[in-house]
Amino acid sequence: EVRLVESGGGLVQAGGSLRLACASSGFIFDDYAIAWFRRAPGNEREGLACINNNDGTTYYGDSVKGRFTISSDSAKRTVYLEMNNLKPEGTAIYYCAAAFQKLEGTCQFEYDNWGQGTQVTVST
């Protein structure tokens, strides 16, 4: 079965950086798209970035565009999210998710496989 494990969260000051990792198993890596989401308590889930492993297409949400970078390492079956210039409103649980979707040119799919999340806390 599809399994995803996030790591790399922690406490960071505003303006600092973190790199999150999503390690995966149980599926053909290149046939899936991978996305990062976050959820703050009381808030709706927010899509941050995604990558289509079929062709490398990426997408970024407006709130993180220019600050976050998503990348994929097929040999390690791991997707990373490099987060720079973190802001207090970025305090949330960060999740990765996977979608079986071989369509190319986009990665905005319905994601139905989820990791357990990793906590990111941004202090002022």
PDB file of all heavy atoms in Angstrom, residues 23-53:
ATOM      1  N   ALA A  23       9.281  10.776   2.466  1.00  0.00           N
ATOM      2  CA  ALA A  23       9.780   9.477   2.024  1.00  0.00           C
ATOM      3  C   ALA A  23       8.605   8.565   1.707  1.00  0.00           C
ATOM      4  O   ALA A  23       7.612   8.538   2.446  1.00  0.00           O
ATOM      5  CB  ALA A  23      10.660   8.859   3.098  1.00  0.00           C
ATOM      6  N   SER A  24       8.708   7.802   0.629  1.00  0.00           N
ATOM      7  CA  SER A  24       7.572   7.033   0.144  1.00  0.00           C
ATOM      8  C   SER A  24       7.927   5.580  -0.118  1.00  0.00           C
ATOM      9  O   SER A  24       9.085   5.224  -0.339  1.00  0.00           O
ATOM     10  CB  SER A  24       7.014   7.659  -1.138  1.00  0.00           C
ATOM     11  OG  SER A  24       7.914   7.483  -2.211  1.00  0.00           O
ATOM     12  N   SER A  25       6.893   4.731  -0.125  1.00  0.00           N
ATOM     13  CA  SER A  25       7.032   3.324  -0.476  1.00  0.00           C
ATOM     14  C   SER A  25       5.675   2.794  -0.910  1.00  0.00           C
ATOM     15  O   SER A  25       4.644   3.420  -0.673  1.00  0.00           O
ATOM     16  CB  SER A  25       7.577   2.498   0.697  1.00  0.00           C
ATOM     17  OG  SER A  25       6.683   2.517   1.794  1.00  0.00           O
ATOM     18  N   GLY A  26       5.665   1.625  -1.575  1.00  0.00           N
ATOM     19  CA  GLY A  26       4.429   0.936  -1.873  1.00  0.00           C
ATOM     20  C   GLY A  26       3.770   1.302  -3.193  1.00  0.00           C
ATOM     21  O   GLY A  26       2.624   0.903  -3.424  1.00  0.00           O
ATOM     22  N   PHE A  27       4.456   2.018  -4.069  1.00  0.00           N
ATOM     23  CA  PHE A  27       3.892   2.377  -5.364  1.00  0.00           C
ATOM     24  C   PHE A  27       5.006   2.690  -6.341  1.00  0.00           C
ATOM     25  O   PHE A  27       6.158   2.882  -5.953  1.00  0.00           O
ATOM     26  CB  PHE A  27       2.922   3.555  -5.235  1.00  0.00           C
ATOM     27  CG  PHE A  27       3.561   4.823  -4.742  1.00  0.00           C
ATOM     28  CD1 PHE A  27       3.967   5.807  -5.627  1.00  0.00           C
ATOM     29  CD2 PHE A  27       3.746   5.040  -3.386  1.00  0.00           C
ATOM     30  CE1 PHE A  27       4.547   6.989  -5.175  1.00  0.00           C
ATOM     31  CE2 PHE A  27       4.324   6.215  -2.920  1.00  0.00           C
ATOM     32  CZ  PHE A  27       4.723   7.188  -3.814  1.00  0.00           C
ATOM     33  N   ILE A  28       4.637   2.729  -7.628  1.00  0.00           N
ATOM     34  CA  ILE A  28       5.599   3.099  -8.665  1.00  0.00           C
ATOM     35  C   ILE A  28       5.749   4.610  -8.631  1.00  0.00           C
ATOM     36  O   ILE A  28       4.850   5.353  -9.019  1.00  0.00           O
ATOM     37  CB  ILE A  28       5.143   2.609 -10.047  1.00  0.00           C
ATOM     38  CG1 ILE A  28       5.020   1.081 -10.049  1.00  0.00           C
ATOM     39  CG2 ILE A  28       6.121   3.066 -11.128  1.00  0.00           C
ATOM     40  CD1 ILE A  28       4.451   0.511 -11.327  1.00  0.00           C
ATOM     41  N   PHE A  29       6.898   5.061  -8.163  1.00  0.00           N
ATOM     42  CA  PHE A  29       7.107   6.471  -7.856  1.00  0.00           C
ATOM     43  C   PHE A  29       6.828   7.370  -9.048  1.00  0.00           C
ATOM     44  O   PHE A  29       6.171   8.416  -8.906  1.00  0.00           O
ATOM     45  CB  PHE A  29       8.538   6.660  -7.351  1.00  0.00           C
ATOM     46  CG  PHE A  29       8.844   8.019  -6.798  1.00  0.00           C
ATOM     47  CD1 PHE A  29       8.461   8.359  -5.514  1.00  0.00           C
ATOM     48  CD2 PHE A  29       9.528   8.954  -7.556  1.00  0.00           C
ATOM     49  CE1 PHE A  29       8.748   9.603  -4.988  1.00  0.00           C
ATOM     50  CE2 PHE A  29       9.823  10.201  -7.046  1.00  0.00           C
ATOM     51  CZ  PHE A  29       9.427  10.527  -5.760  1.00  0.00           C
ATOM     52  N   ASP A  30       7.300   6.996 -10.227  1.00  0.00           N
ATOM     53  CA  ASP A  30       7.194   7.860 -11.398  1.00  0.00           C
ATOM     54  C   ASP A  30       5.786   7.928 -11.981  1.00  0.00           C
ATOM     55  O   ASP A  30       5.546   8.738 -12.887  1.00  0.00           O
ATOM     56  CB  ASP A  30       8.168   7.416 -12.481  1.00  0.00           C
ATOM     57  CG  ASP A  30       9.619   7.657 -12.117  1.00  0.00           C
ATOM     58  OD1 ASP A  30       9.873   8.449 -11.185  1.00  0.00           O
ATOM     59  OD2 ASP A  30      10.500   7.068 -12.761  1.00  0.00           O
ATOM     60  N   ASP A  31       4.861   7.112 -11.492  1.00  0.00           N
ATOM     61  CA  ASP A  31       3.482   7.144 -11.963  1.00  0.00           C
ATOM     62  C   ASP A  31       2.586   8.027 -11.100  1.00  0.00           C
ATOM     63  O   ASP A  31       1.380   8.098 -11.341  1.00  0.00           O
ATOM     64  CB  ASP A  31       2.888   5.732 -12.000  1.00  0.00           C
ATOM     65  CG  ASP A  31       3.441   4.896 -13.133  1.00  0.00           C
ATOM     66  OD1 ASP A  31       4.052   5.460 -14.059  1.00  0.00           O
ATOM     67  OD2 ASP A  31       3.269   3.664 -13.093  1.00  0.00           O
ATOM     68  N   TYR A  32       3.153   8.699 -10.121  1.00  0.00           N
ATOM     69  CA  TYR A  32       2.380   9.490  -9.173  1.00  0.00           C
ATOM     70  C   TYR A  32       2.801  10.949  -9.178  1.00  0.00           C
ATOM     71  O   TYR A  32       3.927  11.298  -9.543  1.00  0.00           O
ATOM     72  CB  TYR A  32       2.552   8.940  -7.752  1.00  0.00           C
ATOM     73  CG  TYR A  32       1.692   7.739  -7.445  1.00  0.00           C
ATOM     74  CD1 TYR A  32       1.912   6.529  -8.079  1.00  0.00           C
ATOM     75  CD2 TYR A  32       0.670   7.824  -6.507  1.00  0.00           C
ATOM     76  CE1 TYR A  32       1.122   5.428  -7.795  1.00  0.00           C
ATOM     77  CE2 TYR A  32      -0.117   6.729  -6.209  1.00  0.00           C
ATOM     78  CZ  TYR A  32       0.117   5.534  -6.858  1.00  0.00           C
ATOM     79  OH  TYR A  32      -0.668   4.437  -6.560  1.00  0.00           O
ATOM     80  N   ALA A  33       1.874  11.797  -8.771  1.00  0.00           N
ATOM     81  CA  ALA A  33       2.177  13.169  -8.406  1.00  0.00           C
ATOM     82  C   ALA A  33       2.223  13.272  -6.887  1.00  0.00           C
ATOM     83  O   ALA A  33       1.510  12.552  -6.182  1.00  0.00           O
ATOM     84  CB  ALA A  33       1.133  14.128  -8.969  1.00  0.00           C
ATOM     85  N   ILE A  34       3.073  14.161  -6.373  1.00  0.00           N
ATOM     86  CA  ILE A  34       3.234  14.364  -4.943  1.00  0.00           C
ATOM     87  C   ILE A  34       2.985  15.835  -4.635  1.00  0.00           C
ATOM     88  O   ILE A  34       3.465  16.712  -5.357  1.00  0.00           O
ATOM     89  CB  ILE A  34       4.637  13.964  -4.446  1.00  0.00           C
ATOM     90  CG1 ILE A  34       4.990  12.535  -4.882  1.00  0.00           C
ATOM     91  CG2 ILE A  34       4.731  14.118  -2.934  1.00  0.00           C
ATOM     92  CD1 ILE A  34       4.155  11.466  -4.220  1.00  0.00           C
ATOM     93  N   ALA A  35       2.271  16.093  -3.545  1.00  0.00           N
ATOM     94  CA  ALA A  35       1.944  17.461  -3.161  1.00  0.00           C
ATOM     95  C   ALA A  35       2.213  17.690  -1.687  1.00  0.00           C
ATOM     96  O   ALA A  35       2.208  16.748  -0.881  1.00  0.00           O
ATOM     97  CB  ALA A  35       0.478  17.778  -3.466  1.00  0.00           C
ATOM     98  N   TRP A  36       2.449  18.942  -1.340  1.00  0.00           N
ATOM     99  CA  TRP A  36       2.563  19.374   0.048  1.00  0.00           C
ATOM    100  C   TRP A  36       1.384  20.267   0.402  1.00  0.00           C
ATOM    101  O   TRP A  36       1.021  21.168  -0.373  1.00  0.00           O
ATOM    102  CB  TRP A  36       3.865  20.139   0.294  1.00  0.00           C
ATOM    103  CG  TRP A  36       5.072  19.272   0.354  1.00  0.00           C
ATOM    104  CD1 TRP A  36       5.929  18.993  -0.663  1.00  0.00           C
ATOM    105  CD2 TRP A  36       5.559  18.574   1.499  1.00  0.00           C
ATOM    106  NE1 TRP A  36       6.934  18.164  -0.228  1.00  0.00           N
ATOM    107  CE2 TRP A  36       6.735  17.887   1.097  1.00  0.00           C
ATOM    108  CE3 TRP A  36       5.131  18.452   2.818  1.00  0.00           C
ATOM    109  CZ2 TRP A  36       7.473  17.096   1.971  1.00  0.00           C
ATOM    110  CZ3 TRP A  36       5.870  17.664   3.687  1.00  0.00           C
ATOM    111  CH2 TRP A  36       7.017  17.004   3.267  1.00  0.00           C
ATOM    112  N   PHE A  37       0.807  20.007   1.567  1.00  0.00           N
ATOM    113  CA  PHE A  37      -0.283  20.792   2.123  1.00  0.00           C
ATOM    114  C   PHE A  37       0.074  21.181   3.551  1.00  0.00           C
ATOM    115  O   PHE A  37       0.969  20.593   4.160  1.00  0.00           O
ATOM    116  CB  PHE A  37      -1.593  19.995   2.150  1.00  0.00           C
ATOM    117  CG  PHE A  37      -2.087  19.550   0.811  1.00  0.00           C
ATOM    118  CD1 PHE A  37      -1.585  18.407   0.209  1.00  0.00           C
ATOM    119  CD2 PHE A  37      -3.077  20.268   0.149  1.00  0.00           C
ATOM    120  CE1 PHE A  37      -2.047  17.980  -1.018  1.00  0.00           C
ATOM    121  CE2 PHE A  37      -3.549  19.847  -1.085  1.00  0.00           C
ATOM    122  CZ  PHE A  37      -3.035  18.708  -1.669  1.00  0.00           C
ATOM    123  N   ARG A  38      -0.653  22.154   4.097  1.00  0.00           N
ATOM    124  CA  ARG A  38      -0.526  22.461   5.518  1.00  0.00           C
ATOM    125  C   ARG A  38      -1.899  22.774   6.102  1.00  0.00           C
ATOM    126  O   ARG A  38      -2.811  23.195   5.390  1.00  0.00           O
ATOM    127  CB  ARG A  38       0.438  23.627   5.775  1.00  0.00           C
ATOM    128  CG  ARG A  38      -0.043  24.977   5.278  1.00  0.00           C
ATOM    129  CD  ARG A  38       1.051  26.014   5.461  1.00  0.00           C
ATOM    130  NE  ARG A  38       0.662  27.305   4.917  1.00  0.00           N
ATOM    131  CZ  ARG A  38       1.505  28.311   4.716  1.00  0.00           C
ATOM    132  NH1 ARG A  38       2.791  28.180   5.019  1.00  0.00           N
ATOM    133  NH2 ARG A  38       1.052  29.457   4.211  1.00  0.00           N
ATOM    134  N   ARG A  39      -2.013  22.538   7.407  1.00  0.00           N
ATOM    135  CA  ARG A  39      -3.236  22.841   8.118  1.00  0.00           C
ATOM    136  C   ARG A  39      -2.896  23.426   9.476  1.00  0.00           C
ATOM    137  O   ARG A  39      -2.220  22.772  10.281  1.00  0.00           O
ATOM    138  CB  ARG A  39      -4.103  21.591   8.297  1.00  0.00           C
ATOM    139  CG  ARG A  39      -5.447  21.877   8.965  1.00  0.00           C
ATOM    140  CD  ARG A  39      -6.143  20.596   9.408  1.00  0.00           C
ATOM    141  NE  ARG A  39      -5.362  19.871  10.382  1.00  0.00           N
ATOM    142  CZ  ARG A  39      -5.302  20.146  11.680  1.00  0.00           C
ATOM    143  NH1 ARG A  39      -5.987  21.175  12.175  1.00  0.00           N
ATOM    144  NH2 ARG A  39      -4.568  19.410  12.488  1.00  0.00           N
ATOM    145  N   ALA A  40      -3.339  24.658   9.708  1.00  0.00           N
ATOM    146  CA  ALA A  40      -3.233  25.274  11.021  1.00  0.00           C
ATOM    147  C   ALA A  40      -4.514  24.988  11.792  1.00  0.00           C
ATOM    148  O   ALA A  40      -5.586  24.876  11.193  1.00  0.00           O
ATOM    149  CB  ALA A  40      -3.011  26.776  10.889  1.00  0.00           C
ATOM    150  N   PRO A  41      -4.446  24.869  13.122  1.00  0.00           N
ATOM    151  CA  PRO A  41      -5.652  24.609  13.905  1.00  0.00           C
ATOM    152  C   PRO A  41      -6.745  25.629  13.626  1.00  0.00           C
ATOM    153  O   PRO A  41      -6.497  26.840  13.645  1.00  0.00           O
ATOM    154  CB  PRO A  41      -5.160  24.700  15.350  1.00  0.00           C
ATOM    155  CG  PRO A  41      -3.716  24.330  15.270  1.00  0.00           C
ATOM    156  CD  PRO A  41      -3.241  24.911  13.969  1.00  0.00           C
ATOM    157  N   GLY A  42      -7.944  25.137  13.327  1.00  0.00           N
ATOM    158  CA  GLY A  42      -9.064  26.004  13.027  1.00  0.00           C
ATOM    159  C   GLY A  42      -9.129  26.490  11.601  1.00  0.00           C
ATOM    160  O   GLY A  42     -10.095  27.168  11.229  1.00  0.00           O
ATOM    161  N   ASN A  43      -8.131  26.171  10.791  1.00  0.00           N
ATOM    162  CA  ASN A  43      -8.090  26.603   9.399  1.00  0.00           C
ATOM    163  C   ASN A  43      -8.329  25.434   8.454  1.00  0.00           C
ATOM    164  O   ASN A  43      -8.181  24.267   8.817  1.00  0.00           O
ATOM    165  CB  ASN A  43      -6.740  27.245   9.079  1.00  0.00           C
ATOM    166  CG  ASN A  43      -6.561  28.596   9.728  1.00  0.00           C
ATOM    167  OD1 ASN A  43      -7.416  29.049  10.496  1.00  0.00           O
ATOM    168  ND2 ASN A  43      -5.445  29.245   9.434  1.00  0.00           N
ATOM    169  N   GLU A  44      -8.700  25.763   7.231  1.00  0.00           N
ATOM    170  CA  GLU A  44      -8.836  24.752   6.205  1.00  0.00           C
ATOM    171  C   GLU A  44      -7.462  24.326   5.698  1.00  0.00           C
ATOM    172  O   GLU A  44      -6.475  25.049   5.816  1.00  0.00           O
ATOM    173  CB  GLU A  44      -9.672  25.290   5.041  1.00  0.00           C
ATOM    174  CG  GLU A  44     -11.108  25.614   5.402  1.00  0.00           C
ATOM    175  CD  GLU A  44     -11.907  26.088   4.208  1.00  0.00           C
ATOM    176  OE1 GLU A  44     -11.358  26.122   3.092  1.00  0.00           O
ATOM    177  OE2 GLU A  44     -13.090  26.415   4.381  1.00  0.00           O
ATOM    178  N   ARG A  45      -7.422  23.147   5.130  1.00  0.00           N
ATOM    179  CA  ARG A  45      -6.209  22.665   4.508  1.00  0.00           C
ATOM    180  C   ARG A  45      -5.829  23.565   3.335  1.00  0.00           C
ATOM    181  O   ARG A  45      -6.689  23.970   2.540  1.00  0.00           O
ATOM    182  CB  ARG A  45      -6.414  21.232   4.022  1.00  0.00           C
ATOM    183  CG  ARG A  45      -5.182  20.573   3.439  1.00  0.00           C
ATOM    184  CD  ARG A  45      -5.558  19.221   2.854  1.00  0.00           C
ATOM    185  NE  ARG A  45      -6.451  19.374   1.718  1.00  0.00           N
ATOM    186  CZ  ARG A  45      -7.206  18.401   1.229  1.00  0.00           C
ATOM    187  NH1 ARG A  45      -7.198  17.205   1.800  1.00  0.00           N
ATOM    188  NH2 ARG A  45      -7.982  18.628   0.181  1.00  0.00           N
ATOM    189  N   GLU A  46      -4.541  23.875   3.222  1.00  0.00           N
ATOM    190  CA  GLU A  46      -4.044  24.768   2.190  1.00  0.00           C
ATOM    191  C   GLU A  46      -3.015  24.038   1.337  1.00  0.00           C
ATOM    192  O   GLU A  46      -2.040  23.494   1.860  1.00  0.00           O
ATOM    193  CB  GLU A  46      -3.410  26.016   2.805  1.00  0.00           C
ATOM    194  CG  GLU A  46      -2.831  26.980   1.791  1.00  0.00           C
ATOM    195  CD  GLU A  46      -2.078  28.128   2.430  1.00  0.00           C
ATOM    196  OE1 GLU A  46      -1.826  28.067   3.647  1.00  0.00           O
ATOM    197  OE2 GLU A  46      -1.747  29.092   1.711  1.00  0.00           O
ATOM    198  N   GLY A  47      -3.224  24.029   0.028  1.00  0.00           N
ATOM    199  CA  GLY A  47      -2.251  23.465  -0.880  1.00  0.00           C
ATOM    200  C   GLY A  47      -1.066  24.395  -1.056  1.00  0.00           C
ATOM    201  O   GLY A  47      -1.239  25.604  -1.247  1.00  0.00           O
ATOM    202  N   LEU A  48       0.142  23.851  -0.997  1.00  0.00           N
ATOM    203  CA  LEU A  48       1.356  24.646  -1.066  1.00  0.00           C
ATOM    204  C   LEU A  48       2.109  24.460  -2.382  1.00  0.00           C
ATOM    205  O   LEU A  48       2.511  25.442  -3.017  1.00  0.00           O
ATOM    206  CB  LEU A  48       2.291  24.289   0.085  1.00  0.00           C
ATOM    207  CG  LEU A  48       1.699  24.421   1.487  1.00  0.00           C
ATOM    208  CD1 LEU A  48       2.696  23.921   2.518  1.00  0.00           C
ATOM    209  CD2 LEU A  48       1.303  25.858   1.760  1.00  0.00           C
ATOM    210  N   ALA A  49       2.338  23.222  -2.765  1.00  0.00           N
ATOM    211  CA  ALA A  49       3.136  22.934  -3.944  1.00  0.00           C
ATOM    212  C   ALA A  49       2.893  21.495  -4.356  1.00  0.00           C
ATOM    213  O   ALA A  49       2.507  20.660  -3.544  1.00  0.00           O
ATOM    214  CB  ALA A  49       4.629  23.164  -3.669  1.00  0.00           C
ATOM    215  N   CYS A  50       3.152  21.189  -5.624  1.00  0.00           N
ATOM    216  CA  CYS A  50       3.069  19.815  -6.089  1.00  0.00           C
ATOM    217  C   CYS A  50       4.045  19.606  -7.227  1.00  0.00           C
ATOM    218  O   CYS A  50       4.514  20.566  -7.850  1.00  0.00           O
ATOM    219  CB  CYS A  50       1.643  19.431  -6.512  1.00  0.00           C
ATOM    220  SG  CYS A  50       0.911  20.438  -7.826  1.00  0.00           S
ATOM    221  N   ILE A  51       4.357  18.330  -7.463  1.00  0.00           N
ATOM    222  CA  ILE A  51       5.235  17.958  -8.558  1.00  0.00           C
ATOM    223  C   ILE A  51       4.687  16.694  -9.209  1.00  0.00           C
ATOM    224  O   ILE A  51       4.268  15.759  -8.526  1.00  0.00           O
ATOM    225  CB  ILE A  51       6.696  17.772  -8.082  1.00  0.00           C
ATOM    226  CG1 ILE A  51       7.615  17.502  -9.270  1.00  0.00           C
ATOM    227  CG2 ILE A  51       6.814  16.675  -7.032  1.00  0.00           C
ATOM    228  CD1 ILE A  51       9.087  17.678  -8.930  1.00  0.00           C
ATOM    229  N   ASN A  52       4.673  16.681 -10.530  1.00  0.00           N
ATOM    230  CA  ASN A  52       4.232  15.533 -11.304  1.00  0.00           C
ATOM    231  C   ASN A  52       5.463  14.715 -11.683  1.00  0.00           C
ATOM    232  O   ASN A  52       6.282  15.165 -12.485  1.00  0.00           O
ATOM    233  CB  ASN A  52       3.481  15.998 -12.547  1.00  0.00           C
ATOM    234  CG  ASN A  52       2.851  14.865 -13.332  1.00  0.00           C
ATOM    235  OD1 ASN A  52       3.273  13.712 -13.238  1.00  0.00           O
ATOM    236  ND2 ASN A  52       1.823  15.180 -14.109  1.00  0.00           N
ATOM    237  N   ASN A  53       5.596  13.529 -11.101  1.00  0.00           N
ATOM    238  CA  ASN A  53       6.784  12.716 -11.357  1.00  0.00           C
ATOM    239  C   ASN A  53       6.817  12.107 -12.751  1.00  0.00           C
ATOM    240  O   ASN A  53       7.847  11.561 -13.153  1.00  0.00           O
ATOM    241  CB  ASN A  53       6.902  11.616 -10.303  1.00  0.00           C
ATOM    242  CG  ASN A  53       7.302  12.151  -8.950  1.00  0.00           C
ATOM    243  OD1 ASN A  53       7.970  13.179  -8.861  1.00  0.00           O
ATOM    244  ND2 ASN A  53       6.909  11.469  -7.890  1.00  0.00           N
TER     245      ASN A  53
END
